[in-house]
Amino acid sequence: MDNIALLAHAKDYIDDMAKGIHPLTKAEIPENDTLNNVRISRCLFYVSEVLEEVIANGGVTAPAPKREKKAEFAPEEIDWSTFTYSETPVGISQIAKQINDCKPENMKHLKVTALTDWLVDIGMLDVITANDRKRKEPTQNGLATGIILEERSGMYGPYTAVLYNESAQHFIIDNLPAVIAGGFNQKRSKKKLPCTKSSFFHG
C-alpha cells in the first residue's frame, strides 16, 4: 500500500470514528463511548480535513508561506512629503508613529527606544530613579533643544510627561541618520556618535 492509499485508509477510519461508527465493524458506537464526546468528534473531523489536504498535495504537507524579510529602517527612503510637524508638543511615541506612517511597508519600524536611547547617549535625556522606578528626563541641553516637562493627570494620578516641541521634533528628524548609523534601532551594542546640526531633510 503506497503512502496516498495509506493516508486515504486512515482518513476513512477517522471519518467513521468522527461520525460515531466503529471503523472495523461499522456498528454504531454507544452514545456513552468516549469517541462520541463532542470535543473529540470535532478534533477527529479537523484531523480528517488535514489529511484531505495532505492527500490532495500528493502526500506531503504544504510548506509554510515564507515571510517577506523586511529591509532595515532607512531615513533616506522615507516619504517625508507626508510628514507634518506638530505645533503642540508631543510625546516621543507620537513622533515615532508619524515617522513609521511615512515609511514603505517592506521596511522595519523605527523603534521608540531607538530615539530615546540615542537622546540619552548624546546627553539630551538623562535616566533618573524616582520612587524605585527609572524614567527619562531632559538634561539642560535637552531643555535648550525643546524637550520639555509637563505635569499631567492620568488614570493613576498626576505624572510628569516628557514632550517635544517643534524645534525638538526637527532636531530628531535632522539626526535620524545618526540614530540609525549608531545601531540604536538594532539589537547590538550602541556606539556613541556626535549629533549633527546639518539637516538631511528640510521640511
Side-chain angles (χ1 to χ4, degrees):
M1 185 180 292
D2 61 26
N3 288 340
I4 299 298
L6 186 59
L7 287 170
H9 195 54
K11 183 180 183 302
D12 287 340
Y13 278 3
I14 290 173
D15 286 342
D16 282 345
M17 290 188 290
K19 297 172 184 176
I21 299 173
H22 194 290
L24 299 178
T25 66
K26 302 301 180 180
E28 288 190 8
I29 298 173
E31 289 187 7
N32 61 350
D33 192 284
T34 303
L35 285 177
N36 272 328
N37 182 287
V38 64
R39 288 181 293 181
I40 292 179
S41 295
R42 287 173 182 169
C43 288
L44 290 171
F45 277 121
Y46 172 75
V47 173
S48 176
E49 290 176 3
V50 172
L51 282 175
E52 185 174 356
E53 291 180 6
V54 173
I55 293 169
N57 200 43
V60 295
T61 56
K66 292 183 178 180
R67 294 180 62 184
E68 182 184 359
K69 187 176 181 180
K70 291 192 175 183
E72 295 296 331
F73 182 88
E76 65 274 12
E77 295 181 21
I78 301 295
D79 180 11
W80 293 109
S81 65
T82 59
F83 183 90
T84 55
Y85 292 94
S86 173
E87 295 181 2
T88 304
V90 294
I92 196 70
S93 296
Q94 180 60 29
I95 297 173
K97 181 182 182 302
Q98 275 204 254
I99 295 171
N100 286 322
D101 286 345
C102 300
K103 73 171 185 62
E105 287 189 8
N106 65 339
M107 182 185 291
K108 292 181 180 179
H109 275 69
L110 174 68
K111 301 174 184 175
V112 174
T113 53
L115 299 178
T116 54
D117 287 349
W118 173 74
L119 288 167
V120 169
D121 201 61
I122 64 171
M124 294 293 176
L125 291 178
D126 195 13
V127 180
I128 66 169
T129 302
N131 299 323
D132 296 325
R133 297 184 66 182
K134 290 184 178 181
R135 69 168 186 261
K136 296 179 178 70
E137 288 193 356
T139 61
Q140 288 301 315
N141 286 336
L143 291 169
T145 304
I147 307 174
I148 64 174
L149 293 173
E150 184 176 289
E151 295 299 324
R152 292 185 171 183
S153 296
M155 184 183 300
Y156 302 104
Y159 68 97
T160 303
V162 179
L163 304 175
Y164 299 74
N165 67 16
E166 192 169 348
S167 175
Q169 295 166 42
H170 276 279
F171 179 81
I172 289 173
I173 299 301
D174 290 349
N175 283 283
L176 268 184
V179 176
I180 302 307
F184 291 89
N185 206 44
Q186 300 173 0
K187 292 182 179 179
R188 60 189 180 92
S189 59
K190 309 173 187 68
K191 55 186 177 181
K192 204 163 189 175
L193 291 180
C195 62
T196 61
K197 292 190 179 296
S198 60
S199 172
F200 81 99
F201 164 73
H202 298 280

